[in-house]
Structures are given as C-alpha cells and as structure tokens.
Amino acid sequence: MDPFSQLILTISVTSFFTFQWLFHKVSPWMSMRISPGFVNLSDKQKVEWNSRTVSTFHALLVGLFCLYILFFDDAVNEDPVWGDPTLVKTNVAITTGYLISDLLLIFYYWKAIGDNFFVIHHLAALYAYYYVLGQGMLPYFANFRLLAEFSTPCVNQRWFFEVLGYPKSSPPNMANGVAMAVVFFMVRIAVIPVYYGRMYAVYGTEAFYLVPWGGRVAWIGSSICLDIMNVMWMHKIARGCYKVLRSAQKNKIKALQENGNRTKIYCSNEGNNIQNVKGG
C-alpha cells in the first residue's frame, strides 16, 4: 500500500472514531447545556437527537470542504474524470468514516433510528466511494454530489423544533422551513443542469471509456436515482412550506380581523358611555 493510500485509510478510521466520540460524548454534553429540553426527551429521542447532531456537524464540515474544492481545485475542475483526486479523496474519506459510523449506530439502535432507506443509501454511497478512494476516478462528480449535504442541517433542525414542541407556525420553525426549501432547491435541484452538463461533456471521450463498467453504473445509475428522489422530496418540501406559510398568513389575517372587531366594540361602548354621561 502506497503512503497516500495509507493516509486515506488513516483519515477514514480517524473519522469513524471521531464521529463515534461526537455521538456518545460530545453531543449529550453539549445538548444539555444548549437546550434544556434535551433532558426531558425519551431515550429513543435522545439517540436520534445525538445522531442528527453528528449528522449536522458532518454536513457542514464536508460541505465547506466541498465548496473549497469546487472553487479552487483546478486539477479536478479541468479533468472531472481523472483529475488529481487528492483533496476529493480526503473529503470522501471523512464521509466514508461517517457513513460506516452511522451504519453501526443504525444497526445498534435499530428501534430508535433504524431505517431501511438509510441503510440502502449508505451502502450505495460506500459502493460509489470505493471507485473514488480505490481508483481515483470521477473526483469532480463525487465532490459535486457532496454539495447536497448543505440541506442536512435545516432538515435536522426541523426535527429538533418538532421534538421540542415548537408549533409549525412559530417564527423559528417557519424561518427554518423556508431556509430548508431554498437550500434544498439550490444544492439538489438547481445544480442538476450543471451536473449533467459536465457528464454529457465527457460522455464518449477517451477518459469516459477508461472508467470500468462498475464505475459507470455507480456514477450514472446512482445519479439518476438520487435526482429522481430529490425532485420528489423537493415537491413535498415545497408543498409543506406553502401550506405552513398559507396557514400563518390566514392566522395573521384572522388575528387582525379579531383585533379590528374588538376595537370597534370598544369604541362603540365608549361612545355609549359618553352619551350616557351627557344625558345624565
């Protein structure tokens, strides 16, 4: 094994143990001090809370690293199939450690956070990352896919508000809901033409045919499946966001009308009192 491969393996293993430490030690300690409602949660809710806290940290770390690569890694941007994958491998190694850590937690705490969809998602991602880490191919596309992680914090925050008892119409919940819809659209839907534009540009080239069939399946097949799901999720998120905003607007109008009626009644009563005083 060459020194760089050993470094990537070390990063993956370190990432695994770091995320385990964050789940078991850091998240409970930090959550009790930041959110008093944490201590009142059930054991199952605490497990999911810690899982989502770790998920948020991973999403921000990997997402920011992904943006740096996208803007400043010229080798990857100029050759999206076989460009120097050094930084991308590092980022993917962090994610690989996280995915394995999360899979372990899912199986161990299955009654609390078990989900067949997430198991399939994690295994499919690890299969795709094998080609990036093992053969250094498709660095641009692997990195571009990690942009989707930016939508994770808002999704997790929505669950935090829900389990803490925040009404859907509360200002923090509504602000997060709008942010979730906007960010989800930007990093999962608006980027689709750019992603497939780059894919079309390299399709049929010599670099493309150097990618083995397994790599092409992991690349093209998984991309299409993920984007179909992203469009479906975006539709649900947009509908939910619209309903909440519509309901909040109706409640606001209703409150203004009720205040207006109270004002009219008050003014009417005051007028009657004045007339009675004059009459007396």
Side-chain angles (χ1 to χ4, degrees), residues 30-43:
M30 183 180 67
S31 298
M32 284 190 294
R33 286 157 178 76
I34 294 178
S35 178
F38 176 78
V39 296
N40 298 321
L41 300 179
S42 66
D43 290 339

Side-chain angles (χ1 to χ4, degrees), residues 68-130:
Y68 176 83
I69 295 170
L70 198 62
F71 287 121
F72 300 108
D73 194 334
D74 294 333
V76 168
N77 292 316
E78 291 173 5
D79 184 357
V81 181
W82 294 103
D84 180 13
T86 302
L87 292 180
V88 174
K89 276 189 172 185
T90 302
N91 207 19
V92 169
I94 295 172
T95 298
T96 297
Y98 165 74
L99 291 176
I100 296 174
S101 171
D102 199 47
L103 271 176
L104 179 64
L105 294 173
I106 288 174
F107 288 130
Y108 189 80
Y109 297 104
W110 185 263
K111 291 184 178 180
I113 57 176
D115 190 311
N116 290 325
F117 172 78
F118 281 111
V119 172
I120 295 172
H121 170 272
H122 286 11
L123 291 176
L126 289 171
Y127 170 69
Y129 290 156
Y130 160 77

Side-chain angles (χ1 to χ4, degrees), residues 226-278:
L226 283 172
D227 286 325
I228 289 174
M229 288 189 291
N230 284 334
V231 171
M232 294 171 61
W233 286 333
M234 184 71 249
H235 180 254
K236 291 182 179 180
I237 290 173
R239 287 186 61 186
C241 186
Y242 174 76
K243 287 181 180 179
V244 171
L245 292 176
R246 184 82 178 270
S247 176
Q249 184 66 22
K250 287 182 179 179
N251 291 336
K252 185 176 180 179
I253 293 173
K254 184 178 179 181
L256 289 174
Q257 290 175 343
E258 290 177 352
N259 288 335
N261 291 334
R262 291 194 191 99
T263 301
K264 289 180 181 178
I265 293 172
Y266 175 79
C267 291
S268 176
N269 291 336
E270 285 297 311
N272 292 334
N273 292 335
I274 292 172
Q275 287 180 357
N276 291 334
V277 170
K278 288 182 177 178

